[in-house]
Amino acid sequence: MRGAASYNSVQVDLKALQANFKAVRSRLLPGIRIMAVVKADAYGHGLEAAAEAFARAGADCFGVGTVEEGVRLRRAGLAGEVVLLLGVAPGEAAEVVENRLSPVVFDPAGLAELSRLAERRAGMVGVHLKLDAGMGRFGVVPTDLTRLAALIARLPGLHLAGLMSHFPLADVPGAEERCREQWQLLQAGYAVCLPPADVPRPLLHMANSAALLRFPWAHGDLVRPGISLYGYSPLPAEFAGVVPPLQPAMSLHSRVLQVKELPAGHGVSYGHRYVTSGRTRLAVLPVGYADGYPRGISGRAEVLLRGHRAPLLGTICMNACMADISSLPLVQAGDEAVFLGRQGEGFIGADELAAWHGTISYEILCRIGAMNQRVYGPLS
């Protein structure tokens, strides 16, 4: 696509990813492992490149969504543990065994086939049994936990590598007591699922980015940071004191294609939702919702041009938007435009862009990263 290939690019700072990994690690006691969550194409940053950056920073465990993502990491030469957070679908057992992947388990279906293939290849598959401690998403209910753990223990070729759950309220002010109750529910399940003394004990893990930053008591044996690795806090501003310095790794760059002047009373873009109140100088830019830049932020968004903010006028189009540069007389066709990231002293982050759209930084990063060519900065 000419627009994406010629004009727009997502720049990913791999050194920033590594710095964020080290910042997270600085909050942990020695011996606690980190699962670098790289699902959803590393939140739009690029699966293989991000995983390599984290591996060089010391990561030896990676969380992906699907078997396909796990296979991609193996083909890229990644040697650490790769955990399938969405589990394994029917028919994928052979790829799981062949690529030494560790699926999350929340249902007995498919375990017998996984066991049979692992035993045939004289291998062992580590599985992470997931408890639903209150999320209402993937995971077995507490009353079924011991039954599924016993089934895993009986099946040859399988071993219980981890017992896990997920915090649904770790980023919610005032919810710490409820989070403690959910953590204690997982601990109670862990106590009754422990294997015999001669079998390696499973890892206990529940902490996402928000929990690992707020709740040191919930670190367990392993933590699972996601958004914090990409430079953004999962917590509201009132918890800023518990968040280490993080470096946003993604930026979206484009360039001005046309500069023009419109008279007073002239409509701008579809529906003429904006009409000029006076003579207005516009920069036309090749970024729109086809590039992951949401149409829903029309009327609120800004772009950086020559280090200054310029408001976008009218409705954001499929591949274009228009910025008011009446106060920026030096802007001309060919100038760099930054929609996400830093330019000079100016900065527009994914949190701000998300606030314009009524969503979260995670969604913005996934959309923009997936819909533009990516350019990577060097690894340290």
Side-chain angles (χ1 to χ4, degrees):
M1 186 171 80
R2 177 178 167 80
S6 299
Y7 302 131
N8 308 330
S9 68
V10 162
Q11 296 183 13
V12 178
D13 184 344
L14 298 177
K15 289 185 179 180
L17 296 180
Q18 294 178 305
N20 295 332
F21 181 89
K22 293 172 183 177
V24 167
R25 186 171 58 191
S26 72
R27 294 303 177 90
L28 305 175
L29 292 174
I32 296 176
R33 293 178 64 193
I34 299 174
M35 178 193 295
V37 178
V38 292
K39 66 178 182 177
D41 205 22
Y43 291 40
H45 292 69
L47 176 67
E48 292 89 346
E52 181 183 1
F54 296 139
R56 291 198 185 188
D60 63 357
C61 182
F62 304 85
V64 299
T66 63
V67 169
E68 183 268 338
E69 286 186 323
V71 171
R72 282 172 55 188
L73 288 185
R74 291 299 187 223
R75 289 176 177 169
L78 197 77
E81 182 181 6
V82 177
V83 178
L84 306 175
L85 295 172
L86 296 181
V88 54
E92 293 180 326
E95 286 186 291
V96 168
V97 174
E98 180 181 349
N99 290 281
R100 298 172 289 106
L101 307 178
S102 301
V104 168
V105 171
F106 38 79
D107 190 289
L111 286 181
E113 176 69 3
L114 198 61
S115 167
R116 184 181 66 81
L117 290 172
E119 191 176 27
R120 176 189 293 178
R121 299 189 182 212
M124 291 289 289
V125 173
V127 300
H128 292 251
L129 176 55
K130 188 166 190 177
L131 170 71
D132 182 0
M135 184 72 177
R137 199 172 62 178
F138 303 112
V140 299
V141 297
T143 53
D144 289 341
L145 184 67
T146 54
R147 179 174 59 85
L148 193 50
L151 175 61
I152 293 167
R154 289 197 306 269
L155 288 171
L158 302 186
H159 74 95
L160 187 62
L163 184 66
M164 63 184 291
S165 191
H166 193 74
F167 282 109
L169 300 171
D171 60 341
V172 177
E176 181 169 357
E177 186 57 36
R178 182 68 181 119
C179 291
R180 281 188 182 274
E181 292 171 1
Q182 292 165 344
W183 172 245
Q184 290 164 0
L185 188 62
L186 179 65
Q187 287 181 307
Y190 186 78
V192 299
C193 291
L194 283 176
D198 59 339
V199 177
R201 72 178 186 87
L203 298 173
L204 181 67
H205 55 105
M206 189 169 178
N208 51 11
S209 287
L212 78 86
L213 294 175
R214 279 186 71 191
F215 307 141
W217 45 261
H219 287 173
D221 299 310
L222 175 145
V223 295
R224 306 192 305 263
I227 193 66
S228 58
L229 295 181
Y230 303 100
Y232 289 93
S233 170
L235 298 172
E238 64 194 83
F239 296 112
V242 304
V243 180
L246 299 173
Q247 302 177 29
M250 180 188 292
S251 55
L252 173 61
H253 299 250
S254 187
R255 58 189 169 118
V256 177
L257 289 193
Q258 183 184 12
V259 170
K260 64 196 303 181
E261 288 197 1
L262 298 180
H266 198 294
V268 177
S269 194
Y270 291 111
H272 283 186
R273 292 167 60 186
Y274 183 88
V275 177
T276 59
S277 58
R279 181 164 291 278
T280 303
R281 190 165 180 260
L282 288 184
V284 184
L285 303 149
V287 171
Y289 56 82
D291 309 296
Y293 197 70
R295 185 178 184 273
I297 62 175
S298 299
R300 295 181 291 277
E302 297 176 326
V303 63
L304 294 173
L305 293 162
R306 295 196 171 230
H308 298 277
R309 288 176 176 245
L312 298 184
L313 303 182
T315 303
I316 293 168
C317 306
M318 184 179 292
N319 294 110
C321 57
M322 284 67 76
D324 183 356
I325 55 170
S326 302
S327 63
L328 301 173
L330 297 181
V331 172
Q332 58 188 340
D335 280 359
E336 179 195 55
V338 174
F339 286 80
L340 173 68
R342 187 173 300 281
Q343 187 188 64
E345 297 300 313
F347 176 74
I348 297 174
D351 285 329
E352 185 176 14
L353 214 162
W356 294 335
H357 194 41
T359 185
I360 55 177
S361 58
Y362 308 64
E363 180 180 353
I364 296 299
L365 296 173
C366 287
R367 290 174 61 164
I368 289 177
M371 300 176 78
N372 296 278
Q373 64 170 346
R374 287 187 291 248
V375 179
Y376 293 98
L379 281 166
S380 61

PDB file of all heavy atoms in Angstrom, residues 140-171:
ATOM      1  N   VAL A 140     -10.327 -22.595  35.303  1.00  0.00           N
ATOM      2  CA  VAL A 140     -11.271 -23.513  35.940  1.00  0.00           C
ATOM      3  C   VAL A 140     -11.808 -22.883  37.211  1.00  0.00           C
ATOM      4  O   VAL A 140     -11.128 -22.080  37.863  1.00  0.00           O
ATOM      5  CB  VAL A 140     -10.614 -24.872  36.259  1.00  0.00           C
ATOM      6  CG1 VAL A 140     -10.137 -25.554  34.996  1.00  0.00           C
ATOM      7  CG2 VAL A 140      -9.459 -24.706  37.246  1.00  0.00           C
ATOM      8  N   VAL A 141     -13.016 -23.250  37.579  1.00  0.00           N
ATOM      9  CA  VAL A 141     -13.572 -22.787  38.849  1.00  0.00           C
ATOM     10  C   VAL A 141     -12.859 -23.531  39.969  1.00  0.00           C
ATOM     11  O   VAL A 141     -12.332 -24.636  39.776  1.00  0.00           O
ATOM     12  CB  VAL A 141     -15.098 -23.010  38.902  1.00  0.00           C
ATOM     13  CG1 VAL A 141     -15.789 -22.195  37.833  1.00  0.00           C
ATOM     14  CG2 VAL A 141     -15.435 -24.488  38.757  1.00  0.00           C
ATOM     15  N   PRO A 142     -12.786 -22.944  41.170  1.00  0.00           N
ATOM     16  CA  PRO A 142     -12.016 -23.564  42.259  1.00  0.00           C
ATOM     17  C   PRO A 142     -12.390 -25.009  42.548  1.00  0.00           C
ATOM     18  O   PRO A 142     -11.505 -25.824  42.872  1.00  0.00           O
ATOM     19  CB  PRO A 142     -12.315 -22.649  43.455  1.00  0.00           C
ATOM     20  CG  PRO A 142     -12.560 -21.306  42.831  1.00  0.00           C
ATOM     21  CD  PRO A 142     -13.281 -21.592  41.544  1.00  0.00           C
ATOM     22  N   THR A 143     -13.659 -25.364  42.426  1.00  0.00           N
ATOM     23  CA  THR A 143     -14.071 -26.735  42.751  1.00  0.00           C
ATOM     24  C   THR A 143     -13.562 -27.764  41.757  1.00  0.00           C
ATOM     25  O   THR A 143     -13.547 -28.963  42.048  1.00  0.00           O
ATOM     26  CB  THR A 143     -15.606 -26.821  42.831  1.00  0.00           C
ATOM     27  OG1 THR A 143     -16.167 -26.289  41.615  1.00  0.00           O
ATOM     28  CG2 THR A 143     -16.131 -26.020  44.021  1.00  0.00           C
ATOM     29  N   ASP A 144     -13.143 -27.326  40.575  1.00  0.00           N
ATOM     30  CA  ASP A 144     -12.634 -28.258  39.553  1.00  0.00           C
ATOM     31  C   ASP A 144     -11.109 -28.298  39.500  1.00  0.00           C
ATOM     32  O   ASP A 144     -10.538 -29.080  38.734  1.00  0.00           O
ATOM     33  CB  ASP A 144     -13.161 -27.864  38.172  1.00  0.00           C
ATOM     34  CG  ASP A 144     -14.643 -28.151  38.007  1.00  0.00           C
ATOM     35  OD1 ASP A 144     -15.170 -28.956  38.787  1.00  0.00           O
ATOM     36  OD2 ASP A 144     -15.269 -27.556  37.109  1.00  0.00           O
ATOM     37  N   LEU A 145     -10.452 -27.466  40.296  1.00  0.00           N
ATOM     38  CA  LEU A 145      -9.004 -27.325  40.175  1.00  0.00           C
ATOM     39  C   LEU A 145      -8.271 -28.623  40.502  1.00  0.00           C
ATOM     40  O   LEU A 145      -7.417 -29.077  39.720  1.00  0.00           O
ATOM     41  CB  LEU A 145      -8.519 -26.207  41.101  1.00  0.00           C
ATOM     42  CG  LEU A 145      -7.031 -25.878  41.006  1.00  0.00           C
ATOM     43  CD1 LEU A 145      -6.691 -25.269  39.654  1.00  0.00           C
ATOM     44  CD2 LEU A 145      -6.635 -24.909  42.130  1.00  0.00           C
ATOM     45  N   THR A 146      -8.571 -29.230  41.640  1.00  0.00           N
ATOM     46  CA  THR A 146      -7.824 -30.432  42.036  1.00  0.00           C
ATOM     47  C   THR A 146      -8.079 -31.584  41.070  1.00  0.00           C
ATOM     48  O   THR A 146      -7.184 -32.400  40.824  1.00  0.00           O
ATOM     49  CB  THR A 146      -8.197 -30.850  43.469  1.00  0.00           C
ATOM     50  OG1 THR A 146      -9.621 -30.991  43.574  1.00  0.00           O
ATOM     51  CG2 THR A 146      -7.731 -29.802  44.469  1.00  0.00           C
ATOM     52  N   ARG A 147      -9.279 -31.671  40.535  1.00  0.00           N
ATOM     53  CA  ARG A 147      -9.588 -32.750  39.586  1.00  0.00           C
ATOM     54  C   ARG A 147      -8.731 -32.632  38.334  1.00  0.00           C
ATOM     55  O   ARG A 147      -8.173 -33.621  37.847  1.00  0.00           O
ATOM     56  CB  ARG A 147     -11.075 -32.701  39.210  1.00  0.00           C
ATOM     57  CG  ARG A 147     -11.500 -33.779  38.204  1.00  0.00           C
ATOM     58  CD  ARG A 147     -13.018 -33.741  37.997  1.00  0.00           C
ATOM     59  NE  ARG A 147     -13.464 -32.448  37.515  1.00  0.00           N
ATOM     60  CZ  ARG A 147     -13.469 -32.099  36.223  1.00  0.00           C
ATOM     61  NH1 ARG A 147     -13.030 -32.937  35.305  1.00  0.00           N
ATOM     62  NH2 ARG A 147     -13.918 -30.905  35.857  1.00  0.00           N
ATOM     63  N   LEU A 148      -8.578 -31.398  37.813  1.00  0.00           N
ATOM     64  CA  LEU A 148      -7.780 -31.225  36.612  1.00  0.00           C
ATOM     65  C   LEU A 148      -6.292 -31.386  36.911  1.00  0.00           C
ATOM     66  O   LEU A 148      -5.541 -31.945  36.099  1.00  0.00           O
ATOM     67  CB  LEU A 148      -8.065 -29.846  35.993  1.00  0.00           C
ATOM     68  CG  LEU A 148      -7.565 -29.602  34.573  1.00  0.00           C
ATOM     69  CD1 LEU A 148      -7.984 -30.726  33.625  1.00  0.00           C
ATOM     70  CD2 LEU A 148      -8.078 -28.262  34.039  1.00  0.00           C
ATOM     71  N   ALA A 149      -5.866 -30.949  38.081  1.00  0.00           N
ATOM     72  CA  ALA A 149      -4.459 -31.141  38.466  1.00  0.00           C
ATOM     73  C   ALA A 149      -4.131 -32.624  38.582  1.00  0.00           C
ATOM     74  O   ALA A 149      -3.050 -33.075  38.170  1.00  0.00           O
ATOM     75  CB  ALA A 149      -4.176 -30.428  39.785  1.00  0.00           C
ATOM     76  N   ALA A 150      -5.060 -33.408  39.126  1.00  0.00           N
ATOM     77  CA  ALA A 150      -4.844 -34.855  39.255  1.00  0.00           C
ATOM     78  C   ALA A 150      -4.786 -35.527  37.893  1.00  0.00           C
ATOM     79  O   ALA A 150      -3.989 -36.453  37.665  1.00  0.00           O
ATOM     80  CB  ALA A 150      -5.955 -35.468  40.108  1.00  0.00           C
ATOM     81  N   LEU A 151      -5.596 -35.061  36.955  1.00  0.00           N
ATOM     82  CA  LEU A 151      -5.567 -35.613  35.603  1.00  0.00           C
ATOM     83  C   LEU A 151      -4.217 -35.344  34.942  1.00  0.00           C
ATOM     84  O   LEU A 151      -3.625 -36.241  34.320  1.00  0.00           O
ATOM     85  CB  LEU A 151      -6.697 -35.006  34.769  1.00  0.00           C
ATOM     86  CG  LEU A 151      -6.726 -35.385  33.286  1.00  0.00           C
ATOM     87  CD1 LEU A 151      -6.899 -36.900  33.109  1.00  0.00           C
ATOM     88  CD2 LEU A 151      -7.831 -34.625  32.557  1.00  0.00           C
ATOM     89  N   ILE A 152      -3.705 -34.139  35.097  1.00  0.00           N
ATOM     90  CA  ILE A 152      -2.396 -33.802  34.527  1.00  0.00           C
ATOM     91  C   ILE A 152      -1.318 -34.693  35.130  1.00  0.00           C
ATOM     92  O   ILE A 152      -0.423 -35.191  34.430  1.00  0.00           O
ATOM     93  CB  ILE A 152      -2.080 -32.308  34.771  1.00  0.00           C
ATOM     94  CG1 ILE A 152      -3.040 -31.425  33.965  1.00  0.00           C
ATOM     95  CG2 ILE A 152      -0.631 -31.988  34.396  1.00  0.00           C
ATOM     96  CD1 ILE A 152      -3.015 -29.962  34.363  1.00  0.00           C
ATOM     97  N   ALA A 153      -1.398 -34.918  36.432  1.00  0.00           N
ATOM     98  CA  ALA A 153      -0.391 -35.752  37.105  1.00  0.00           C
ATOM     99  C   ALA A 153      -0.423 -37.190  36.610  1.00  0.00           C
ATOM    100  O   ALA A 153       0.617 -37.870  36.576  1.00  0.00           O
ATOM    101  CB  ALA A 153      -0.621 -35.703  38.619  1.00  0.00           C
ATOM    102  N   ARG A 154      -1.600 -37.687  36.229  1.00  0.00           N
ATOM    103  CA  ARG A 154      -1.716 -39.086  35.780  1.00  0.00           C
ATOM    104  C   ARG A 154      -1.258 -39.300  34.344  1.00  0.00           C
ATOM    105  O   ARG A 154      -0.883 -40.413  33.967  1.00  0.00           O
ATOM    106  CB  ARG A 154      -3.184 -39.538  35.888  1.00  0.00           C
ATOM    107  CG  ARG A 154      -3.682 -39.734  37.295  1.00  0.00           C
ATOM    108  CD  ARG A 154      -4.967 -40.558  37.308  1.00  0.00           C
ATOM    109  NE  ARG A 154      -6.010 -39.998  36.451  1.00  0.00           N
ATOM    110  CZ  ARG A 154      -6.928 -39.121  36.858  1.00  0.00           C
ATOM    111  NH1 ARG A 154      -6.909 -38.695  38.116  1.00  0.00           N
ATOM    112  NH2 ARG A 154      -7.852 -38.686  36.036  1.00  0.00           N
ATOM    113  N   LEU A 155      -1.311 -38.253  33.531  1.00  0.00           N
ATOM    114  CA  LEU A 155      -1.030 -38.419  32.105  1.00  0.00           C
ATOM    115  C   LEU A 155       0.475 -38.408  31.851  1.00  0.00           C
ATOM    116  O   LEU A 155       1.166 -37.432  32.196  1.00  0.00           O
ATOM    117  CB  LEU A 155      -1.705 -37.303  31.301  1.00  0.00           C
ATOM    118  CG  LEU A 155      -3.232 -37.401  31.197  1.00  0.00           C
ATOM    119  CD1 LEU A 155      -3.811 -36.129  30.574  1.00  0.00           C
ATOM    120  CD2 LEU A 155      -3.635 -38.624  30.374  1.00  0.00           C
ATOM    121  N   PRO A 156       1.013 -39.464  31.250  1.00  0.00           N
ATOM    122  CA  PRO A 156       2.450 -39.479  30.934  1.00  0.00           C
ATOM    123  C   PRO A 156       2.785 -38.406  29.913  1.00  0.00           C
ATOM    124  O   PRO A 156       1.977 -38.058  29.052  1.00  0.00           O
ATOM    125  CB  PRO A 156       2.670 -40.883  30.367  1.00  0.00           C
ATOM    126  CG  PRO A 156       1.324 -41.315  29.875  1.00  0.00           C
ATOM    127  CD  PRO A 156       0.310 -40.673  30.779  1.00  0.00           C
ATOM    128  N   GLY A 157       3.994 -37.882  30.017  1.00  0.00           N
ATOM    129  CA  GLY A 157       4.435 -36.866  29.063  1.00  0.00           C
ATOM    130  C   GLY A 157       4.036 -35.452  29.436  1.00  0.00           C
ATOM    131  O   GLY A 157       4.462 -34.494  28.787  1.00  0.00           O
ATOM    132  N   LEU A 158       3.216 -35.287  30.484  1.00  0.00           N
ATOM    133  CA  LEU A 158       2.811 -33.956  30.938  1.00  0.00           C
ATOM    134  C   LEU A 158       3.328 -33.714  32.349  1.00  0.00           C
ATOM    135  O   LEU A 158       3.406 -34.632  33.158  1.00  0.00           O
ATOM    136  CB  LEU A 158       1.282 -33.812  30.947  1.00  0.00           C
ATOM    137  CG  LEU A 158       0.520 -34.041  29.645  1.00  0.00           C
ATOM    138  CD1 LEU A 158      -0.956 -33.705  29.842  1.00  0.00           C
ATOM    139  CD2 LEU A 158       1.105 -33.218  28.501  1.00  0.00           C
ATOM    140  N   HIS A 159       3.674 -32.475  32.633  1.00  0.00           N
ATOM    141  CA  HIS A 159       3.969 -32.121  34.018  1.00  0.00           C
ATOM    142  C   HIS A 159       3.424 -30.723  34.293  1.00  0.00           C
ATOM    143  O   HIS A 159       3.314 -29.886  33.392  1.00  0.00           O
ATOM    144  CB  HIS A 159       5.473 -32.191  34.315  1.00  0.00           C
ATOM    145  CG  HIS A 159       6.279 -31.068  33.739  1.00  0.00           C
ATOM    146  ND1 HIS A 159       6.603 -29.940  34.448  1.00  0.00           N
ATOM    147  CD2 HIS A 159       6.831 -30.909  32.508  1.00  0.00           C
ATOM    148  CE1 HIS A 159       7.326 -29.134  33.677  1.00  0.00           C
ATOM    149  NE2 HIS A 159       7.476 -29.687  32.507  1.00  0.00           N
ATOM    150  N   LEU A 160       3.053 -30.504  35.524  1.00  0.00           N
ATOM    151  CA  LEU A 160       2.464 -29.234  35.923  1.00  0.00           C
ATOM    152  C   LEU A 160       3.592 -28.223  36.117  1.00  0.00           C
ATOM    153  O   LEU A 160       4.267 -28.214  37.145  1.00  0.00           O
ATOM    154  CB  LEU A 160       1.646 -29.406  37.206  1.00  0.00           C
ATOM    155  CG  LEU A 160       0.830 -28.197  37.662  1.00  0.00           C
ATOM    156  CD1 LEU A 160      -0.213 -27.820  36.606  1.00  0.00           C
ATOM    157  CD2 LEU A 160       0.159 -28.473  38.996  1.00  0.00           C
ATOM    158  N   ALA A 161       3.775 -27.350  35.126  1.00  0.00           N
ATOM    159  CA  ALA A 161       4.854 -26.363  35.181  1.00  0.00           C
ATOM    160  C   ALA A 161       4.463 -25.127  35.969  1.00  0.00           C
ATOM    161  O   ALA A 161       5.336 -24.423  36.498  1.00  0.00           O
ATOM    162  CB  ALA A 161       5.259 -25.954  33.766  1.00  0.00           C
ATOM    163  N   GLY A 162       3.171 -24.845  36.037  1.00  0.00           N
ATOM    164  CA  GLY A 162       2.741 -23.651  36.743  1.00  0.00           C
ATOM    165  C   GLY A 162       1.288 -23.721  37.134  1.00  0.00           C
ATOM    166  O   GLY A 162       0.482 -24.410  36.511  1.00  0.00           O
ATOM    167  N   LEU A 163       0.958 -23.012  38.212  1.00  0.00           N
ATOM    168  CA  LEU A 163      -0.426 -22.779  38.605  1.00  0.00           C
ATOM    169  C   LEU A 163      -0.613 -21.274  38.613  1.00  0.00           C
ATOM    170  O   LEU A 163       0.170 -20.546  39.239  1.00  0.00           O
ATOM    171  CB  LEU A 163      -0.724 -23.369  39.974  1.00  0.00           C
ATOM    172  CG  LEU A 163      -2.179 -23.263  40.421  1.00  0.00           C
ATOM    173  CD1 LEU A 163      -3.088 -24.111  39.532  1.00  0.00           C
ATOM    174  CD2 LEU A 163      -2.335 -23.693  41.879  1.00  0.00           C
ATOM    175  N   MET A 164      -1.646 -20.801  37.917  1.00  0.00           N
ATOM    176  CA  MET A 164      -1.733 -19.374  37.648  1.00  0.00           C
ATOM    177  C   MET A 164      -3.176 -18.882  37.740  1.00  0.00           C
ATOM    178  O   MET A 164      -4.126 -19.648  37.721  1.00  0.00           O
ATOM    179  CB  MET A 164      -1.196 -19.065  36.253  1.00  0.00           C
ATOM    180  CG  MET A 164      -2.006 -19.738  35.133  1.00  0.00           C
ATOM    181  SD  MET A 164      -1.323 -19.475  33.468  1.00  0.00           S
ATOM    182  CE  MET A 164      -1.635 -17.729  33.235  1.00  0.00           C
ATOM    183  N   SER A 165      -3.306 -17.586  37.841  1.00  0.00           N
ATOM    184  CA  SER A 165      -4.597 -16.922  37.713  1.00  0.00           C
ATOM    185  C   SER A 165      -4.319 -15.511  37.194  1.00  0.00           C
ATOM    186  O   SER A 165      -3.204 -15.217  36.747  1.00  0.00           O
ATOM    187  CB  SER A 165      -5.353 -16.901  39.050  1.00  0.00           C
ATOM    188  OG  SER A 165      -6.694 -16.491  38.843  1.00  0.00           O
ATOM    189  N   HIS A 166      -5.333 -14.637  37.247  1.00  0.00           N
ATOM    190  CA  HIS A 166      -5.176 -13.289  36.700  1.00  0.00           C
ATOM    191  C   HIS A 166      -5.970 -12.311  37.559  1.00  0.00           C
ATOM    192  O   HIS A 166      -7.085 -12.602  37.974  1.00  0.00           O
ATOM    193  CB  HIS A 166      -5.674 -13.240  35.251  1.00  0.00           C
ATOM    194  CG  HIS A 166      -5.265 -11.994  34.522  1.00  0.00           C
ATOM    195  ND1 HIS A 166      -3.982 -11.771  34.091  1.00  0.00           N
ATOM    196  CD2 HIS A 166      -5.970 -10.901  34.148  1.00  0.00           C
ATOM    197  CE1 HIS A 166      -3.904 -10.609  33.472  1.00  0.00           C
ATOM    198  NE2 HIS A 166      -5.104 -10.049  33.505  1.00  0.00           N
ATOM    199  N   PHE A 167      -5.372 -11.146  37.819  1.00  0.00           N
ATOM    200  CA  PHE A 167      -6.028 -10.105  38.606  1.00  0.00           C
ATOM    201  C   PHE A 167      -6.920  -9.237  37.718  1.00  0.00           C
ATOM    202  O   PHE A 167      -6.430  -8.576  36.803  1.00  0.00           O
ATOM    203  CB  PHE A 167      -4.986  -9.186  39.257  1.00  0.00           C
ATOM    204  CG  PHE A 167      -4.319  -9.755  40.474  1.00  0.00           C
ATOM    205  CD1 PHE A 167      -2.988 -10.150  40.428  1.00  0.00           C
ATOM    206  CD2 PHE A 167      -5.007  -9.873  41.670  1.00  0.00           C
ATOM    207  CE1 PHE A 167      -2.360 -10.652  41.556  1.00  0.00           C
ATOM    208  CE2 PHE A 167      -4.384 -10.388  42.803  1.00  0.00           C
ATOM    209  CZ  PHE A 167      -3.063 -10.778  42.748  1.00  0.00           C
ATOM    210  N   PRO A 168      -8.227  -9.181  37.998  1.00  0.00           N
ATOM    211  CA  PRO A 168      -9.085  -8.286  37.227  1.00  0.00           C
ATOM    212  C   PRO A 168      -9.167  -6.872  37.795  1.00  0.00           C
ATOM    213  O   PRO A 168      -9.654  -5.952  37.120  1.00  0.00           O
ATOM    214  CB  PRO A 168     -10.461  -8.961  37.313  1.00  0.00           C
ATOM    215  CG  PRO A 168     -10.442  -9.668  38.626  1.00  0.00           C
ATOM    216  CD  PRO A 168      -9.010 -10.089  38.844  1.00  0.00           C
ATOM    217  N   LEU A 169      -8.687  -6.662  39.039  1.00  0.00           N
ATOM    218  CA  LEU A 169      -8.904  -5.388  39.731  1.00  0.00           C
ATOM    219  C   LEU A 169      -7.613  -4.736  40.205  1.00  0.00           C
ATOM    220  O   LEU A 169      -7.658  -3.791  40.997  1.00  0.00           O
ATOM    221  CB  LEU A 169      -9.813  -5.616  40.950  1.00  0.00           C
ATOM    222  CG  LEU A 169     -11.209  -6.190  40.664  1.00  0.00           C
ATOM    223  CD1 LEU A 169     -11.904  -6.570  41.969  1.00  0.00           C
ATOM    224  CD2 LEU A 169     -12.041  -5.181  39.891  1.00  0.00           C
ATOM    225  N   ALA A 170      -6.470  -5.189  39.727  1.00  0.00           N
ATOM    226  CA  ALA A 170      -5.202  -4.680  40.251  1.00  0.00           C
ATOM    227  C   ALA A 170      -4.988  -3.206  39.941  1.00  0.00           C
ATOM    228  O   ALA A 170      -4.203  -2.533  40.621  1.00  0.00           O
ATOM    229  CB  ALA A 170      -4.041  -5.503  39.698  1.00  0.00           C
ATOM    230  N   ASP A 171      -5.666  -2.672  38.940  1.00  0.00           N
ATOM    231  CA  ASP A 171      -5.509  -1.261  38.583  1.00  0.00           C
ATOM    232  C   ASP A 171      -6.630  -0.385  39.135  1.00  0.00           C
ATOM    233  O   ASP A 171      -6.719   0.802  38.795  1.00  0.00           O
ATOM    234  CB  ASP A 171      -5.446  -1.110  37.056  1.00  0.00           C
ATOM    235  CG  ASP A 171      -6.701  -1.627  36.362  1.00  0.00           C
ATOM    236  OD1 ASP A 171      -7.444  -2.401  36.985  1.00  0.00           O
ATOM    237  OD2 ASP A 171      -6.928  -1.253  35.192  1.00  0.00           O
TER     238      ASP A 171
END
